[in-house]
Amino acid sequence: MITRRELRRQREAAERAERERADAARYQGGLAASGDTGPARSGSDGSPAPAPSVSDEAPGPGASAPARRRTGMPSTGRPGYGDHRASAPVDTPTSADLRGFHLLLLDDAVEISDVLALVHNKLPDLHPQLDEHGQMRLSRHSRLSSGTVLEPADAAALEVPDWAHHAIVVDCPRDRQPSPPPDWFADADGLHAAFPEGMPDREEERVLSLLLAIASRLHTGVRLADEPGLPTRVIIPDPEAKVDLYLYSPYWLEPQVTLEFVRRHAPHAFQQSLPTPDEDVLAQANIDDPLFDPSAPVILDGYALLVPLGDIDEAAGGLEIRVMEAEWVPPIIAAHTDAPQIEYHVHWMDTESRRYQPNPRRRFRRMRAEVARLTDAIGAELLVGCDGVGVDENGFLVTSRQLRE
């Protein structure tokens, strides 16, 4: 069965091959006009080498595509900026109108309703629908509109990837930090490179965080508004960069019960040893509370389980399942219950703290995919066991079925 991603790869390979053939034809035409044919590409027998074909570039139907987490949308590949064409693009009326706005780019597999549902996840007070003007007000100062279909000429003028068939338009203030980000600062999405004079702040930071989170979930991208002195900036978030899961439930699972769930997928998991208060702490507690009984059993208000990941890779580190009463719950959960919630946080800690660094190496990406699969399996088990609600690291709802896919 050929997946959407494989079809996309084949389509992109065909488009890439067609561009190469067109460039070669223009090049040969230019040489002919100047009277210099130049050295021709040739095969081993001296005959002209054929132009690259689709079969040379595209993976076959049997090629395995990387797993996609928490979404059935097609992946757009590695994070970074979009296409940079050698010649200046020719503006169209549509592209001229859109240049001054941040754009959420959608491919032909994503509907506007998908975006509105994700906005509702983050901002549950907003109804997931557009008003009579085709807009949704995100805040007093920002609004989202249904945008427009991008024709090939529009996409070329805006210098966005070929898969971008629709642009959702976001109008928000331009709020920037007063100084450039420090040299040591980097983030997985590449905002530090896109805003060299000062990172987005306040309202603009909140809006862009929302757009990038949605783009990550849907495997699409964001085109930033044009600014003087800066090139075209298209950010394609790495959809696999956010691995952690947060589960919220009104039920407290004892450590041994949680450990049994975790060990179904990680048999070597164990509980961290509990800290033992020393004599000075006990003496101070007795002074603060005359009724304090040091011999009384300790009542846990939180604990942690560890899953070493050395069998995946030495650099994989470990998973930590942190269990405690939640001090804060996501708005989408708080909107549906007032009951205190227990938070089960499945947290990945790689040994070199590289998980949020941009443009990871291929080996790290393979390792991260293995860790993500284990995280999802453990998260699905705990989600059913605690009868809770799951949220991914971007803040969007996930079900046990999605985690098991």
Side-chain angles (χ1 to χ4, degrees), residues 191-252:
L191 280 175
H192 63 291
F195 295 94
E197 300 302 319
M199 294 284 285
D201 199 13
R202 297 184 295 247
E203 179 75 0
E204 188 177 29
E205 190 276 331
R206 289 189 290 270
V207 168
L208 284 179
S209 294
L210 173 64
L211 294 183
L212 290 171
I214 293 174
S216 176
R217 176 67 179 250
L218 297 178
H219 291 213
T220 59
V222 174
R223 187 193 190 278
L224 302 175
D226 285 357
E227 295 186 32
L230 292 177
T232 299
R233 298 161 298 164
V234 179
I235 296 181
I236 302 175
D238 185 348
E240 311 297 335
K242 306 293 179 66
V243 174
D244 286 15
L245 291 172
Y246 296 82
L247 317 177
Y248 296 91
S249 169
Y251 303 112
W252 169 273

Side-chain angles (χ1 to χ4, degrees), residues 245-248 332-333 383 388-392 396-399 403:
L245 291 172
Y246 296 82
L247 317 177
Y248 296 91
I332 189 62
I333 294 177
L383 194 55
V389 178
V391 176
D392 67 16
F396 300 120
L397 294 173
V398 290
T399 65
L403 294 176

Side-chain angles (χ1 to χ4, degrees), residues 52-80:
S53 64
V54 175
S55 60
D56 294 332
E57 300 283 348
S64 60
R68 298 190 295 269
R69 304 180 62 232
R70 311 180 185 97
T71 173
M73 301 303 168
S75 172
T76 56
R78 296 175 65 86

